[in-house]
Amino acid sequence: ALAKGASALFGAGIVLGSLTLKLPQILLLLRTRSVEGLSLAGCYGEIPMCASFAIYHARLGYPLDTYAENLVITAQNLLIIAIYWVLKPPSAAHMLGVSTAGVLLHAVLWLLPARWQSLVAQAQPIAMLWGYLPQILLNARLGCTGSLSAVTTAARFAGCSIRLATTVLRIGDDPWLLATYGLAASLTAALLAQFALLPANCAAAS
């Protein structure tokens, strides 16, 4: 009981921390007015990566404190995409297509019957790779971290690691969730390693 109570407090702390998780990234984009080195594909991938977590937990009736941060982070990711579109506008057809596909995808995920929600969990590692790999590969190709925020990345690594522990204590043996949080921690660790190895200034790397 004590362990579950402590994990609930940690979960609530993660939710509160998520309110400012993407703030360093947002402020960096607004300050530099540049999206150089930031993967738009990765930004898109972070939407289903986080939203599918929230949908899966909500549809199975898991406690709100085990997934609420994903709702907050999804909203922040939408803001980052909006800023990206303002600073480096894609075509109107691109924006309409992405927006429509996003709405339809998440509507389908929400409407899946509870007995099929396991499919959402099984797809989460794919969403995780979509959310992180484009940024990792872009950093490697450019030889820099560009407009990616080190503070936000470090906070995400801490959050993924803590959430891995709270999932065990609050939910129990959900292998797909545990595998996904473990994958998230590994991928954010890879991004942190790139911050240690690569310069932030892409001009200096070229």
Side-chain angles (χ1 to χ4, degrees):
L2 182 60
K4 285 196 173 183
S7 69
L9 288 176
F10 274 120
I14 291 175
V15 174
L16 290 175
S18 71
L19 295 173
T20 58
L21 176 67
K22 293 284 188 171
L23 185 60
Q25 182 67 73
I26 292 168
L27 293 178
L28 181 61
L29 293 175
L30 294 176
R31 178 173 58 82
T32 63
R33 301 195 63 79
S34 171
V35 293
E36 185 179 18
L38 185 65
S39 170
L40 183 57
C43 292
Y44 290 158
E46 288 197 43
I47 301 300
M49 183 179 80
C50 294
S52 65
F53 262 103
I55 290 171
Y56 175 73
H57 284 71
R59 294 286 280 111
L60 294 186
Y62 288 157
L64 182 62
D65 63 90
T66 63
Y67 67 90
E69 77 275 8
N70 288 288
L71 298 173
V72 177
I73 297 170
T74 296
Q76 294 173 349
N77 285 331
L78 288 171
L79 178 57
I80 288 172
I81 290 172
I83 294 172
Y84 196 113
W85 283 357
V86 169
L87 296 177
K88 191 176 181 180
S91 67
H94 174 97
M95 292 188 285
L96 179 61
V98 167
S99 301
T100 303
V103 170
L104 290 176
L105 171 63
H106 294 95
V108 169
L109 292 180
W110 178 260
L111 293 172
L112 277 177
R115 66 181 182 276
W116 290 350
Q117 281 298 316
S118 62
L119 297 176
V120 178
Q122 292 166 21
Q124 282 169 353
I126 298 173
M128 193 68 63
L129 290 171
W130 181 15
Y132 285 105
L133 268 188
Q135 186 65 60
I136 293 171
L137 295 175
L138 182 62
N139 291 348
R141 180 169 62 83
L142 296 178
C144 64
T145 55
S147 298
L148 187 65
S149 168
V151 176
T152 293
T153 304
R156 291 181 69 177
F157 173 73
C160 291
S161 301
I162 294 172
R163 182 54 81 198
L164 187 60
T166 60
T167 299
V168 173
L169 293 171
R170 294 282 285 155
I171 295 175
D173 185 20
D174 189 320
W176 287 106
L177 277 184
L178 295 175
T180 303
Y181 280 124
L183 179 61
S186 300
L187 292 170
T188 48
L191 284 171
L192 287 176
Q194 289 184 318
F195 276 107
L197 298 171
L198 302 174
N201 190 334
C202 290
S206 59

